[in-house]
Amino acid sequence: GENVEQHPSTLSVQEGDSAVIKCTYSDSASNYFPWYKQELGKGPQLIIDIRSNVGEKKDQRIAVTLNKTAKHFSLHITETQPEDSAVYFCAARGSNSGYALNFGKGTSLLVTP
Amino acid sequence: ETGVTQTPRHLVMGMTNKKSLKCEQHLGHNAMYWYKQSAKKPLELMFVYSLEERVENNSVPSRFSPECPNSSHLFLHLHTLQPEDSALYLCASSQEPSLAGELFFGEGSRLTVL
């Protein structure tokens, strides 16, 4: 089945700096790649997603890039703010995943003032 | 407020107890899910329901028993659990299970098994 690896597991940046989180996936037929943000005491919330027919997508300070050849995708957060501190999960939907999204283990991002 | 409400938020139970987790979605979605979230592990899909019919069961032990009486409500019945079942149980909903679309998660039920 689909295997999603996510790095780093923890990331600390200064406010205003950029943060990058990377994920790799194993199923070359995967076609949907969402990113979820989970704040303390809350459930994950979708922040951005990308489909396999697009190489990059941007929404204000966040962007996702997809490299299908290398089978990896990345989340980029620019001008980080303390409220960006949370756990971020990448996920991939493989062709044989049925109804399942396969999630990475998460990255705990800390933005220090 | 995501439109998905889970109760209780916290639950402590002994291994011989029977309890239930409840989930309600107010989004008019057709699919509902149970996920298990353990520390340092990826989110694990447990069950998927589409229009009240179970469409996926990810090799979950029978001590977890789901119930979906209608498209807005989902239950997870728990009995004779093990300490390793302690985790955050997340309910989610989506428009359709077979499409690649957004999952809307509840805030979770934190379960501790003594």
Side-chain angles (χ1 to χ4, degrees):
Chain A
E2 176 70 278
N3 185 37
V4 178
E5 298 285 339
Q6 182 171 350
H7 298 280
S9 57
T10 60
L11 180 59
S12 182
V13 300
Q14 289 254 301
E15 182 176 1
D17 287 350
S18 295
V20 181
I21 303 170
K22 299 182 179 181
C23 288
T24 60
Y25 60 97
S26 57
D27 183 354
S28 57
S30 290
N31 54 17
Y32 176 62
F33 308 91
W35 286 89
Y36 283 81
K37 174 184 180 183
Q38 186 173 24
E39 297 176 346
L40 199 61
K42 300 201 172 174
Q45 188 168 5
L46 180 73
I47 55 171
I48 195 166
D49 58 11
I50 191 168
R51 297 174 194 273
S52 57
N53 58 346
V54 176
E56 184 174 357
K57 185 176 178 181
K58 191 173 181 182
D59 182 4
Q60 300 183 337
R61 295 188 297 109
I62 59 173
V64 57
T65 58
L66 172 64
N67 183 327
K68 288 191 294 181
T69 304
K71 290 189 285 186
H72 67 70
F73 56 113
S74 300
L75 178 71
H76 305 254
I77 306 175
T78 59
E79 301 171 32
T80 53
Q81 300 166 4
E83 51 265 39
D84 294 329
S85 296
V87 180
Y88 292 81
F89 294 93
C90 64
R93 172 115 173 213
S95 58
N96 296 316
S97 295
Y99 302 96
L101 275 177
N102 296 286
F103 285 86
K105 291 184 179 181
T107 296
S108 180
L109 173 65
L110 178 63
V111 180
T112 54
Chain B
E1 177 60 54
T2 64
V4 179
T5 305
Q6 290 188 244
T7 54
R9 294 292 312 278
H10 300 271
L11 178 63
V12 179
M13 60 187 289
M15 289 193 285
T16 57
N17 291 160
K18 288 186 180 181
K19 297 285 184 184
S20 296
L21 306 181
K22 179 183 175 182
C23 177
E24 183 175 0
Q25 59 100 356
H26 312 274
L27 301 168
H29 288 165
N30 292 322
M32 296 188 76
Y33 309 74
W34 280 115
Y35 278 86
K36 177 182 179 182
Q37 186 174 32
S38 305
K40 311 296 183 189
K41 293 175 74 173
L43 281 162
E44 300 173 51
L45 179 66
M46 299 175 72
F47 301 103
V48 182
Y49 275 82
S50 174
L51 295 171
E52 303 128 57
E53 181 182 338
R54 190 191 308 179
V55 295
E56 188 152 325
N57 174 355
N58 255 14
S59 303
V60 179
S62 59
R63 56 186 185 270
F64 295 92
S65 174
E67 179 190 0
C68 188
N70 55 62
S71 59
S72 298
H73 293 86
L74 184 65
F75 295 88
L76 188 63
H77 303 300
L78 317 168
H79 63 98
T80 59
L81 294 192
Q82 305 297 311
E84 59 265 30
D85 297 322
S86 298
L88 182 69
Y89 288 85
L90 290 162
C91 174
S93 71
S94 69
Q95 193 73 13
E96 296 285 348
S98 56
L99 300 177
E102 182 174 359
L103 289 175
F104 291 80
F105 285 92
E107 295 188 327
S109 293
R110 173 72 61 187
L111 173 67
T112 303
V113 181
L114 302 176

